Amino acid sequence: MLQRIRNSRIVSGTTETSISRGVFVLIFVVSMAMAVGNTGLISVMPAIGRAIGISDHLVAAIFSLSALLWALSAPHWAKVSDVRGRKPMMMLGLGGFVFSMLGCALVVWAGLQALLTPLAVFAAFAVIRGIFGLLGSATASSSQAYVADRTSEKDRTAAMSALAGALGMGTIIGPAVSPLLVFGFLGLAGPMTIFALIAGGILVAVAVVIPRDRPPVLMRSAQDVSRDGQGSGTSPRLWSDRNVAPYLLYGLLSGCAQAINVYTLGFVIMDSMALPLAQSQAYIGIAMAAGAVAGLVGQWVLIPLLKLSPRQLLRSGALLALAGNLITVFAHDFWLLTLGYVVLTLGFGFCRPGFMAGASLAAREDQQGGVAGMVSSVSGAAIVVTPVIGVLLYEFAPAAPFILNCAVMAGLARYAWKNASLRRGKPGLACPPIVS
């Protein structure tokens, strides 16, 4: 796949551009590192909240605030990247990630040492995490746009699947290594500290390795793009584009369902096993890693092997996520919970590259920045309120959030078959093999 991407070229304005293997690998690492940090943080937050004395729904609310700021800021950074280039925005988001991880680690450590009250920890953590929400989306949208700018239509599904695979690999590594990083005087603040240091090294690599790109303003001046909203600033207009909007809606709703699964998993496992926090954390990591492996196998093995098109990914992904949530509804032990999470994560592993690639292929070349910004925005919007809703539903009735997800995914499966744009798609543009 990397060979295909390296040889792919498009015409941007009057300049022919391409993406080298090394640059694509580094962009992949950037996406993976941020996923490692975020999912690793998600996996330890239930234990952090209960150790410090922060209620479960307030833990979820911290991520909701960050997600809201992410959703609001992503289209703006995509627009800026059209004018200033993709690389500076990648670096800005990475810098925000490093700052927030270090700041959150310090706040958590102070709370564990009883230097701050639970309320103070909650407030400080929410503010610092909110800074990541404001800045982190710059990396997500600019990375996707950088790759879309430099890949042909026939290779774009593979490229988007690979980037989604970076997120999948990150969700394997984050929960798996987080328990190992709870050590010494740092305690539960250890994972955040280590993730920040690693991301700092990657930020330096981005500055050195990725060449400064030409701002992809196509057939108009930067001033015109900023004024008339025809570049990446078309985010609101893309919602009225009958070719692109159905993919964005599908991505938003499937992201909401996935967020409920991800943010309730830790609480479900802790309550079902009734173990001490330290022991429960290991089981949470196992379940999250198993699900992430399933998503990665789907994106790196099944999609290229079966040569699935975006249209097929949307349909099969919704059905698998529905099946996984059904298993979760009736699960009564750790292994059934893990099986359900594996199946539903495989389904969402199809959904994400399906709507990402579908939206990109449905848009014009001069809309790629805007599409990337909206893809990043809906990913953030999906976790603005759904974590809180999921946790509150779980506190009301343990099966309730998963019954809701079954209804959502059943609706999306029908939508993928009935909507004219999703049904039409571009079925000939299947994902080529990952290994060339």
Side-chain angles (χ1 to χ4, degrees):
M1 186 277 294
L2 294 180
Q3 183 68 32
R4 288 177 179 268
I5 291 174
R6 184 184 66 178
N7 293 333
S8 176
R9 285 175 169 78
I10 63 169
V11 175
S12 176
T14 59
T15 303
E16 190 180 67
T17 59
S18 64
I19 184 168
S20 70
R21 182 190 299 264
V23 169
F24 184 84
V25 167
L26 183 53
I27 292 174
F28 179 94
V29 170
V30 168
S31 299
M32 183 180 69
M34 293 183 72
V36 167
N38 287 324
T39 57
L41 178 59
I42 291 170
S43 73
V44 298
M45 276 307 295
I48 290 173
R50 292 188 176 181
I52 294 176
I54 302 173
S55 63
D56 295 348
H57 62 275
L58 286 181
V59 169
I62 291 173
F63 293 99
S64 294
L65 173 62
S66 174
L68 174 62
L69 295 173
W70 178 292
L72 294 174
S73 63
H76 169 74
W77 295 126
K79 178 180 176 181
V80 174
S81 76
D82 262 359
V83 178
R84 295 195 173 185
R86 314 301 191 195
K87 177 180 175 178
M89 297 303 101
M90 288 186 213
M91 295 180 63
L92 176 66
L94 266 174
F97 178 82
V98 172
F99 172 81
S100 70
M101 279 291 174
L102 285 176
C104 289
L106 179 61
V107 169
V108 167
W109 180 84
L112 293 171
Q113 302 301 315
L115 299 176
L116 293 175
T117 65
L119 181 59
V121 171
F122 167 75
F125 198 104
V127 170
I128 297 171
R129 181 69 183 175
I131 292 174
F132 168 71
L134 280 173
L135 302 181
S137 60
T139 295
S141 57
S142 59
S143 296
Q144 181 185 328
Y146 190 99
V147 173
D149 288 343
R150 289 159 176 78
T151 52
S152 64
E153 284 194 346
K154 69 183 181 67
D155 291 328
R156 198 165 300 155
T157 302
M160 295 305 172
S161 294
L163 282 183
L167 301 177
M169 182 171 286
T171 57
I172 295 172
I173 297 173
V177 303
S178 289
L180 304 177
L181 302 179
V182 180
F183 63 91
F185 75 97
L186 289 174
L188 287 166
M192 287 170 278
T193 304
I194 301 302
F195 295 150
L197 295 177
I198 293 173
I202 295 172
L203 176 59
V204 173
V206 169
V208 173
V209 174
I210 296 182
R212 178 66 182 265
D213 55 310
R214 178 178 179 269
V217 178
L218 304 176
M219 298 180 295
R220 54 172 60 85
S221 69
Q223 197 172 36
D224 289 336
V225 171
S226 185
R227 183 182 67 247
D228 67 15
Q230 294 295 316
S232 347
T234 59
S235 306
R237 296 189 184 186
L238 287 173
W239 278 108
S240 62
D241 188 315
R242 64 181 182 180
N243 294 319
V244 177
Y247 291 100
L248 298 179
L249 179 60
Y250 183 102
L252 176 62
L253 294 178
S254 63
C256 288
Q258 185 175 17
I260 287 177
N261 287 124
V262 172
Y263 285 87
T264 57
L265 179 66
F267 301 117
V268 174
I269 290 177
M270 282 193 295
D271 293 337
S272 66
M273 301 194 70
L275 292 174
L277 291 179
Q279 295 181 41
S280 296
Q281 188 59 50
Y283 283 98
I284 293 170
I286 290 171
M288 293 189 76
V293 168
L296 197 60
V297 168
Q299 291 163 346
W300 283 10
V301 179
L302 296 180
I303 292 176
L305 180 66
L306 301 176
K307 296 181 172 60
L308 298 175
S309 67
R311 179 176 64 187
Q312 294 166 326
L313 291 173
L314 299 180
R315 293 174 176 179
S316 57
L319 292 176
L320 283 168
L322 168 61
N325 275 283
L326 276 174
I327 294 172
T328 305
V329 169
F330 297 103
H332 298 293
D333 59 43
F334 171 75
W335 299 110
L336 274 178
L337 285 171
T338 301
L339 174 62
Y341 192 71
V342 164
V343 174
L344 67 88
T345 305
L346 175 61
F348 290 124
F350 283 3
C351 292
R352 184 172 180 84
F355 94 84
M356 285 173 63
S360 179
L361 291 169
R364 304 186 308 268
E365 290 300 334
D366 64 312
Q367 291 179 310
Q368 292 305 315
V371 168
M374 283 310 303
V375 166
S376 181
S377 180
V378 299
S379 298
I383 55 176
V384 171
V385 296
T386 45
V388 177
I389 291 173
V391 172
L392 289 174
L393 284 173
Y394 176 72
E395 291 175 345
F396 173 74
F402 313 113
I403 293 173
L404 173 62
N405 272 1
C406 287
V408 172
M409 298 316 299
L412 284 180
R414 177 178 173 80
Y415 185 60
W417 257 281
K418 294 295 184 180
N419 180 267
S421 297
L422 299 184
R423 187 174 68 246
R424 181 174 63 251
K426 293 195 177 184
L429 294 170
C431 179
I434 293 291
V435 180
S436 56

